[in-house]
Amino acid sequence: MLKIGEFIYPWGSGHYSRMMRLNEVLGDYVKEDFEVHFSSKDHVYEKLLKKFPNERERIHEVLMPTPIDGKFGPSVSMSLMNLLLPISKNPPLVRQIANYLREERKIYNKEKFDLVINDGDMGSNILAKNRNIPSLFVTNQFRPRLYNSRSYLYPSLIFVAKQIAKASKILVADSPPPFTMCEYNLNFIKEVEKKVFYVGHFTNQKQIKKEQTSDIEKLVRDNEFGYWMRTGNKSTNDGTGQRYEEVFHQDEMKNEKRVISHARNDPKINSVLGKNGKKYSISDAVEKKVDWIQIDVGFLSEQEKDTILDLCKYSVVNGSHTVMGEIMGGKSKPIIGIPIYDEHTNNIRWAEEKNLGVLATKTNQVVKAISKIKENYGKFEENLSDFSKNFMPNGAENSAKIAAQILEEKR
């Protein structure tokens, strides 16, 4: 039986969602019997245990080094200090790296993989190359442009790119140029271009089975509103939420309806704010036909999310690559991007240059962005229509084909 190792970097949610979509289709292309071993930590490790309760022996906890959380996403200063000092219960990074590679080495030695697929985990690239095991590295960045960060981060950026380059093939989770949304996060050097494949976005292409209309869907029907998304790990999610609250307190937002998805499976978040200033439960708001201004939802079902994306006028995001592809390519809706760090800025700036959305780094810019989109909506729709026609959504399937081809060549 073939063995495939999937090493998933635990910072954010995009790495996990991509690998789960790939995992769903691998069996359609790899014709021999195979088993998949997953490795990650923290919330991704917990999600894997929950998703595969009967396969715990194939789910490995590896303490991959991640940045130190700050108030708004990763803290650059604390992460740099953590190179040599213990910070926030994290041992010095030098020790973390040594321990994590040791643990991954044990997994490699025990399982004898035929193929490894790494989404964000560079250490696994090194181990695979040293053992002549073919490896695929799935990514949406290589050498990102640095805007807000200081120049002293550039050496680490080059180091990371060198480790990514050790993969057998680099699979870019985006459409081919000139429709590559993460273009400013790539900047490939000539030496690796021959191993780069633009496989497309890892979108969920399953047809959503429509069930009974939910109360949230009833509330948003026949309303013009914006969809405000909070995504990412805790610090990124909290930082995004704080920025949103600052915007909502602006006078211009008094009558601007919004649905806020908190990406947290906590029903206590669910509430409706009426224009009268009173708060309601979602069911009470439907029953009383409340004229609402804001709907907060902890976690949307796939059907609810699909409905809201279909009906919203625009979506506000932090610049997550996965989310932007889903909204602009899958739903042809303009985005307003409020970036947390440079990778986000690069994605949003590219979208703004193509007139697919607007970059907003300050509170007053968000309000202006809403006005700009509404005043020029026809132009945004025209550009988004062209982008959507050239949007490649089948990244999981194309990656599975490449994996199957590599395994076939090994026979």
Side-chain angles (χ1 to χ4, degrees):
M1 179 181 287
L2 296 173
K3 283 190 178 182
I4 300 174
E6 291 186 17
F7 292 79
I8 307 171
Y9 192 60
W11 185 262
S13 301
H15 304 287
Y16 171 80
S17 62
R18 281 198 298 238
M19 286 298 93
M20 291 306 98
R21 286 168 186 164
L22 172 59
N23 203 58
E24 288 173 0
V25 299
L26 264 178
D28 296 336
Y29 298 91
V30 179
K31 299 307 179 183
E32 292 185 61
D33 289 338
F34 69 93
E35 65 179 33
V36 176
H37 286 252
F38 301 99
S39 297
S40 193
K41 75 168 186 178
D42 293 344
H43 70 105
V44 172
Y45 176 70
E46 296 300 326
K47 285 180 180 177
L48 289 166
L49 290 175
K50 187 175 180 179
K51 187 174 180 67
F52 304 105
N54 299 320
E55 300 176 29
R56 297 178 70 93
E57 72 281 359
R58 298 181 192 171
I59 300 171
H60 309 279
E61 184 176 22
V62 178
L63 301 182
M64 301 171 183
T66 52
I68 303 296
D69 273 349
K71 190 175 182 181
F72 300 110
S75 168
V76 174
S77 59
M78 291 178 69
S79 297
L80 287 171
M81 288 172 62
N82 189 223
L83 284 169
L84 299 173
L85 299 172
I87 301 289
S88 300
K89 298 181 180 179
N90 288 278
L93 190 60
V94 175
R95 191 190 308 167
Q96 285 187 60
I97 292 173
N99 291 340
Y100 127 81
L101 288 174
R102 189 180 302 115
E103 289 304 310
E104 287 197 342
R105 193 179 298 116
K106 288 179 182 176
I107 297 170
Y108 266 79
N109 292 341
K110 179 183 178 183
E111 304 304 339
K112 311 293 184 186
F113 295 121
D114 297 283
L115 170 70
V116 292
I117 305 171
N118 306 318
D119 197 315
D121 181 18
M122 300 167 297
S124 182
N125 272 2
I126 300 169
L127 295 171
K129 184 175 182 180
N130 291 344
R131 287 160 171 74
N132 293 317
I133 299 171
S135 63
L136 305 177
F137 192 85
V138 183
T139 189
N140 54 277
Q141 55 180 305
F142 183 72
R143 296 201 304 178
R145 289 186 185 177
L146 299 177
Y147 289 96
N148 300 322
S149 303
R150 300 184 184 276
S151 58
Y152 55 70
L153 287 179
Y154 192 75
S156 62
L157 184 150
I158 298 300
F159 174 79
V160 168
K162 285 182 177 179
Q163 309 318 311
I164 294 175
K166 291 177 180 178
S168 306
K169 296 181 187 296
I170 299 172
L171 310 186
V172 180
D174 209 324
S175 304
F179 301 97
T180 310
M181 191 179 71
C182 64
E183 177 184 351
Y184 299 153
N185 283 317
L186 297 177
N187 305 305
F188 287 116
I189 55 177
K190 285 187 178 180
E191 292 90 319
V192 302
E193 286 179 351
K194 61 183 179 182
K195 62 171 71 174
V196 173
F197 298 83
Y198 291 85
V199 295
H201 292 254
F202 286 56
T203 56
N204 188 355
Q205 299 189 78
K206 284 185 177 179
Q207 192 70 31
I208 296 173
K209 185 180 178 181
K210 292 293 183 180
E211 299 178 353
Q212 185 176 352
T213 303
S214 72
D215 284 342
I216 293 173
E217 291 175 286
K218 292 174 184 175
L219 277 175
V220 299
R221 194 166 46 200
D222 301 322
N223 281 279
E224 182 180 295
F225 63 93
Y227 178 37
W228 300 64
M229 300 182 68
R230 294 174 57 162
T231 57
N233 66 334
K234 187 178 185 303
S235 67
T236 302
N237 191 309
D238 289 344
T240 302
Q242 186 169 329
R243 284 174 166 85
Y244 288 175
E245 287 301 319
E246 291 171 2
V247 175
F248 299 153
H249 283 88
Q250 303 301 301
D251 289 339
E252 297 90 337
M253 294 296 293
K254 286 181 179 177
N255 296 306
E256 186 68 26
K257 293 190 172 186
R258 58 256 183 185
V259 176
I260 308 163
S261 171
H262 291 246
R264 288 177 176 169
N265 198 5
D266 182 1
K268 294 193 294 292
I269 293 172
N270 299 352
S271 63
V272 177
L273 178 65
K275 285 190 175 180
N276 57 11
K278 295 182 180 180
K279 272 200 172 185
Y280 303 84
S281 69
I282 292 174
S283 57
D284 282 348
V286 172
E287 184 180 339
K288 296 176 181 179
K289 298 181 179 179
V290 171
D291 186 10
W292 57 273
I293 187 67
Q294 180 170 315
I295 302 174
D296 286 274
V297 187
F299 191 80
L300 291 167
S301 69
E302 286 295 322
Q303 176 176 307
E304 289 169 340
K305 183 179 178 182
D306 192 61
T307 297
I308 287 171
L309 282 172
D310 280 336
L311 298 179
C312 72
K313 192 80 172 174
Y314 58 87
S315 184
V316 184
V317 300
N318 64 20
S320 161
H321 179 263
T322 303
V323 169
M324 285 178 61
E326 181 181 23
I327 294 169
M328 297 190 310
K331 293 295 184 179
S332 299
K333 293 297 172 82
I335 60 99
I336 296 170
I338 308 176
I340 296 292
Y341 41 93
D342 290 343
E343 177 198 348
H344 294 158
T345 304
N346 289 334
N347 291 334
I348 302 164
R349 192 178 296 279
W350 185 92
E352 183 175 59
E353 291 175 2
K354 309 295 181 184
N355 286 313
L356 307 172
V358 183
L359 172 65
T361 57
K362 298 178 181 178
T363 301
N364 65 329
Q365 292 177 336
V366 181
V367 176
K368 291 178 181 177
I370 293 172
S371 298
K372 180 178 179 179
I373 286 175
K374 289 185 174 181
E375 291 167 6
N376 302 278
Y377 207 76
K379 189 63 178 175
F380 278 101
E381 283 187 311
E382 182 181 332
N383 293 324
L384 283 159
S385 175
D386 184 50
F387 178 72
S388 294
K389 289 174 185 175
N390 293 279
F391 179 76
M392 187 185 291
N394 52 342
E397 290 78 5
N398 289 332
S399 298
K401 288 178 186 177
I402 292 172
Q405 181 182 355
I406 287 176
L407 290 169
E408 182 66 26
E409 289 171 354
K410 280 193 68 178
R411 294 182 64 183

